[in-house]
Amino acid sequence: MPKNLSKHSSSEAELEAKVIDLKPEVFVQALKSMYVARQIDNKAMTLLKQGKAFFHIGVSGHEAIQVASAMNFRPGYDWFYPYYRDWAFVYQLGVTLEELFYSVLGRAECPATGGRQMPAHFGKKELRIITQSSPTGTQYLQAVGTAMGCVRDGTDEIVYVSGGDGSTSEGEFHEALNWASKDKLPVIFVIQNNKYAISVPIYEQTAGASVAKIGQGFYGLDVYEIDGTDFIQSYQTVKKAVERARAGLGPTMIVANVVRLVPHSSSDDHRKYRKPEELEFERLNDPILKMENLLIERGILTKNEIEKFYSEIDNEIEKAIEKAEQKPYASPETVMLHVYAPEKTRQLNYESTVPSGKPIVMVDAINHALHEEMELNPKMLVYGEDIADPKGGVFTATKGLTVKFGKDRAFNSPLAEASIVGTAIGLAVKGYKPVVEIQFGDYIWPAMMQIRDELAPFRYRSNGNWSAPVVIRVPVGGYIHGGHYHSQNIEGFFAHLPGIFIAYPSNAADAKGLLKTACRIEDPVLFLEHKALYRSPQAMAPEPDENYLLPFGKAQVKKPGKDATIITWGLMVYKSLEAVKIIEQKYGVEIEVIDIRTINPLDKETILNSVRKTSRVLIVHEDTLTAGFGAEISAIIASEAFEYLDAPIKRVAGLDIPGIPYAPTLEEAALPQTEWIVKALDELIRY
């Protein structure tokens, strides 16, 4: 019997009565899907030994709960976030044998990845199987985000998300349970507990060795612990969870105790940490043996009929393998495809006129951009920590959004950065445009897994089938006496992540134009806002109108010149202009100042044209010198314009220290000052 740890479960008689209603062909189909998955394990290992495949992660022992789960959902209507053992689940859902072996063999026609990911990274857009990755536990928050979208759309769509017991040790799993329970979201968490996270047993992973008991702490979460090798028990438990979710009653977690009959993966040997007696005992709970006995007991199939049935399936599998082996690998020419959305998606009506409205500070320009874009796009949502009215954000950037658009579109999130980004990915999958805020750049790091391993490669790893155009607004920068944890610059870290655009405006007009563009394009955007510029008179500019859009990848020449070039961004634009006045007056030279405006894409053309003209270059940025983004610009110039240089490339940047000190004297010593730039320009001009 399934054990419901949240409330009284249905009686055994009620469950049995429902089981009798299942037609014999349902049991036969269940056995087929289970056997197919088992044979995929066997065939994949053979292909690996033959050098035709390179990795496999098995399903053996998990088949019953997977097939029972899939039978209760609606493919192409509900949403699915499987994990890497879900071979039986995705097959029952509708992924074909051929497609599964395209995955095993890494072929170009694999609908999940096109050969870009290892086998068992499932995905198929027609079935709404979301592109899957390797990190354990990242899928849970995305599933919650998609469920948020289902509720907002007013449908009875529900979301399946699965994982192993090891993944429940990840903090993001607990964050997902919290958010789903808090908002009564239609998510069904299926935890396939084989009691091992590779080699680490559950009693070393989880308090009380019970994931189910941990789930009891989440108010509003229905929790079951069941025998996941028992098809009937699994089917009926998932059925109840599905009915509950469709009725709008909230999430369910099903902890399905299963057996792992094979090593963790083809790279593992479980005989090193599991005793022969344990493995033999596990085989007694083989879900396929149980299913065979069930069909025989019910008179649905005889043993001989099952053997004949298996033989027919084996022939299907051999044909699928043969067909898959004949398919080509992806062409090398395609390796750079789908890093970003197609160029045509960025062909917007960019404003060519000069902004002429009333001068405005940068934080208000950002606020107005959000208001205008939310008015334009009813699918746009704004959320983060403290962003809702009456506070309207710690810097007031989101002021008035909740009042105007309601709490369902501008709302506070839990204080959990991974939750903010993870749910945003799931919402974007559902067709929403999440524009979320991380309160300070210093605190973005809990979301790094969601950004680096999920958001950035989302389109690429799915071979262009899925995208997540999330905008992440982040206040950054020093000069505000914010100390170590309110002063960081982070663009150097994130510039290393292909797949995400990065904007870093220096003034109000640019901030409005770039943010409005970010809200409309199909690529994820990290939008960096310097806190010291929010209300700085220097960063004020005439406000553009509601139609003003700025293209990413287009730098601005803030001041033309012919004798040297400064390349900079953010607050350093103003310190550079101050230094230029001093040096030009001293030497009678003309120095060009370029504000790159976006880190990625970078306007190399404007930079290189300037270098070819002036032959001297100074790069100025606030982030640390070592591995700062200035080093990348320097490398580009050295590679593509070296012969035009009349002096070594110089850089001015923040000190290589772990954080920005609080005391004014130390902060001033740590961050670039105008006199630093003056000194560097002086040396550059006199070289």
Side-chain angles (χ1 to χ4, degrees):
M1 280 293 298
K3 183 180 180 184
N4 186 332
L5 302 182
S6 298
K7 60 183 180 182
H8 295 296
S9 58
S10 299
S11 70
E12 188 169 353
E14 289 173 326
L15 283 178
E16 181 62 22
K18 292 179 181 178
V19 171
I20 292 172
D21 291 338
L22 290 176
K23 296 178 180 179
E25 52 263 34
V26 172
F27 291 100
V28 174
Q29 177 58 47
L31 179 61
K32 177 177 182 179
S33 295
M34 293 167 67
Y35 182 74
V36 162
R38 180 66 57 89
Q39 287 300 86
I40 287 175
D41 275 2
N42 296 330
K43 297 296 183 181
M45 291 305 295
T46 299
L47 291 166
L48 194 143
K49 291 173 183 176
Q50 293 172 343
K52 296 177 180 179
F54 311 105
F55 179 80
H56 182 69
I57 192 159
V59 61
S60 295
H62 292 233
E63 297 94 343
I65 180 60
Q66 292 183 16
V67 175
S69 295
M71 284 182 161
N72 278 284
F73 289 92
R74 302 178 194 169
Y77 183 79
D78 295 323
W79 300 83
F80 308 100
Y81 287 85
Y83 92 123
Y84 46 68
R85 294 199 195 281
D86 271 352
W87 291 95
F89 178 84
V90 298
Y91 176 73
Q92 176 59 42
L93 212 60
V95 179
T96 69
L97 264 175
E98 289 85 357
E99 290 168 339
L100 290 172
F101 279 103
Y102 295 160
S103 171
V104 171
L105 296 168
R107 294 309 201 254
E109 289 190 33
C110 171
T113 79
R116 295 185 173 203
Q117 293 203 88
M118 298 166 78
H121 290 71
F122 306 111
K124 190 171 183 180
K125 193 158 191 177
E126 298 88 337
L127 300 176
R128 291 186 168 178
I129 302 173
I130 314 303
T131 174
Q132 182 196 320
S133 65
S134 292
T136 55
T138 49
Q139 69 272 28
Y140 296 120
L141 284 168
Q142 294 165 27
V144 168
T146 298
M148 291 165 67
C150 296
V151 172
R152 290 170 186 280
D153 287 346
T155 70
D156 68 348
E157 300 164 40
I158 57 179
V159 184
Y160 163 94
V161 61
S162 63
D165 50 289
S167 70
T168 67
S169 295
E170 298 283 0
E172 291 183 21
F173 169 72
H174 299 265
E175 292 180 28
L177 291 184
N178 177 59
W179 200 321
S181 301
K182 173 178 72 76
D183 289 354
K184 294 186 177 180
L185 297 174
V187 188
I188 298 174
F189 299 85
V190 177
I191 307 304
Q192 299 173 38
N193 176 24
N194 62 33
K195 305 173 187 64
Y196 280 95
I198 305 184
S199 68
V200 182
I202 191 169
Y203 59 81
E204 292 183 10
Q205 286 272 348
T206 305
S210 173
V211 177
K213 289 180 180 177
I214 288 175
Q216 288 179 278
F218 293 92
Y219 180 79
L221 178 71
D222 238 13
V223 182
Y224 290 88
E225 184 168 13
I226 65 170
D227 179 357
T229 67
D230 183 319
F231 173 77
I232 291 177
Q233 192 177 130
S234 298
Y235 185 95
Q236 291 304 325
T237 306
V238 176
K239 180 175 171 56
K240 288 180 67 178
V242 166
E243 290 171 349
R244 180 173 188 264
R246 291 209 198 280
L249 299 177
T252 298
M253 181 172 74
I254 300 169
V255 180
N257 295 318
V258 296
V259 290
R260 199 187 80 193
L261 301 177
V262 292
H264 168 73
S265 72
S266 55
S267 302
D268 178 44
D269 181 356
H270 62 180
R271 294 172 299 182
K272 293 180 178 179
Y273 52 88
R274 302 179 75 182
K275 296 179 180 179
E277 300 79 21
E278 177 191 345
L279 294 172
E280 185 58 36
F281 180 77
E282 296 261 277
R283 292 186 191 100
L284 297 176
N285 285 303
D286 185 331
I288 291 184
L289 292 178
K290 288 184 175 182
M291 195 64 177
E292 290 174 353
N293 291 334
L294 177 65
L295 268 64
I296 293 170
E297 289 170 5
R298 287 176 176 261
I300 297 172
L301 290 176
T302 65
K303 187 169 181 59
N304 287 338
E305 287 172 332
I306 289 174
E307 291 301 320
K308 183 181 178 183
F309 184 55
Y310 285 168
S311 179
E312 293 170 353
I313 297 172
D314 288 340
N315 287 334
E316 288 183 43
I317 291 173
E318 290 300 329
K319 289 177 182 177
I321 294 172
E322 183 179 350
K323 184 176 180 180
E325 286 187 294
Q326 292 172 354
K327 297 294 182 179
Y329 291 113
S331 168
E333 286 75 24
T334 66
V335 71
M336 287 297 294
L337 293 180
H338 310 305
V339 178
Y340 303 101
E343 181 66 33
K344 64 182 179 181
T345 63
R346 296 187 290 280
Q347 293 173 357
L348 307 177
N349 292 320
Y350 294 112
E351 186 63 53
S352 57
T353 59
V354 176
S356 57
K358 181 181 177 181
I360 189 173
V361 296
M362 194 164 90
V363 72
D364 287 348
I366 290 166
N367 179 265
H368 294 179
L370 293 172
H371 274 270
E372 291 170 7
E373 291 304 303
M374 289 188 78
E375 186 76 45
L376 181 69
N377 181 4
K379 288 285 215 176
M380 180 169 151
L381 306 174
V382 174
Y383 62 97
E385 300 158 21
D386 299 300
I387 69 95
D389 293 317
K391 188 170 182 64
V394 295
F395 299 105
T396 71
T398 55
K399 184 177 180 181
L401 294 178
T402 308
V403 170
K404 184 173 183 180
F405 299 103
K407 285 187 176 181
D408 62 326
R409 292 190 60 199
F411 53 91
N412 289 327
S413 71
L415 202 161
E417 289 77 12
S419 288
I420 294 170
V421 177
T423 57
I425 293 171
L427 277 162
V429 163
K430 191 66 174 66
Y432 284 85
K433 183 70 179 186
V435 180
V436 298
E437 179 182 303
I438 300 295
Q439 200 165 88
F440 289 91
D442 315 65
Y443 304 129
I444 199 170
W445 313 115
M448 193 60 166
M449 181 72 87
Q450 287 291 341
I451 297 171
R452 169 60 186 90
D453 283 350
E454 298 296 328
L455 185 62
F458 209 75
R459 179 183 293 273
Y460 185 80
R461 77 186 190 208
S462 68
N463 202 28
N465 287 311
W466 294 98
S467 64
V470 175
V471 179
I472 307 172
R473 293 182 41 254
V474 193
V476 296
Y479 301 94
I480 60 166
H481 309 304
H484 274 221
Y485 300 108
H486 298 83
S487 304
Q488 289 180 28
N489 280 275
I490 61 175
E491 73 270 17
F493 291 94
F494 289 94
H496 192 63
L497 306 187
I500 297 181
F501 283 170
I502 305 173
Y504 199 153
S506 67
N507 63 76
D510 287 359
K512 185 173 183 181
L514 287 169
L515 182 54
K516 287 172 70 69
T517 297
C519 291
R520 299 192 193 185
I521 61 176
E522 292 299 313
D523 292 289
V525 175
L526 186 69
F527 197 86
L528 306 180
E529 304 164 5
H530 201 295
K531 300 184 294 292
L533 294 180
Y534 270 151
R535 292 180 174 80
S536 168
Q538 290 179 306
M540 291 181 70
E543 181 173 10
D545 63 23
E546 69 275 10
N547 298 313
Y548 189 76
L549 304 174
L550 277 180
F552 277 59
K554 185 63 178 175
Q556 182 180 40
V557 177
K558 301 294 287 188
K559 180 192 170 300
K562 60 181 178 61
D563 298 304
T565 298
I566 292 181
I567 302 163
T568 188
W569 56 93
L571 186 144
M572 292 299 99
V573 169
Y574 302 102
K575 291 196 176 294
S576 295
L577 289 170
E578 291 169 359
V580 163
K581 287 181 182 178
I582 296 171
I583 289 296
E584 286 187 337
Q585 187 174 18
K586 179 177 181 179
Y587 289 108
V589 293
E590 297 177 12
I591 298 173
E592 188 148 289
V593 178
I594 296 173
D595 178 0
I596 63 172
R597 301 201 286 200
T598 60
I599 304 294
N600 183 28
L602 178 67
D603 184 356
K604 294 200 302 182
E605 182 180 4
T606 296
I607 291 171
L608 293 173
N609 285 342
S610 181
V611 172
R612 293 177 185 123
K613 177 175 62 174
T614 68
S615 301
R616 286 176 166 80
V617 185
L618 171 63
I619 303 166
V620 182
H621 59 79
E622 186 178 333
D623 201 1
T624 54
L625 179 70
T626 301
F629 189 62
E632 179 63 22
I633 296 175
S634 179
I636 290 170
I637 295 169
S639 174
E640 301 186 36
F642 177 78
E643 64 272 25
Y644 292 91
L645 293 174
D646 289 340
I649 301 168
K650 294 189 72 67
R651 288 182 290 159
V652 169
L655 298 185
D656 288 341
I657 54 178
I660 307 304
Y662 171 68
T665 51
L666 294 176
E667 182 186 60
E668 185 174 339
L671 294 173
Q673 305 299 324
T674 301
E675 54 267 29
W676 298 15
I677 304 171
V678 170
K679 181 175 183 295
L681 277 174
D682 191 282
E683 294 171 354
L684 188 66
I685 295 298
R686 290 189 296 106
Y687 182 83

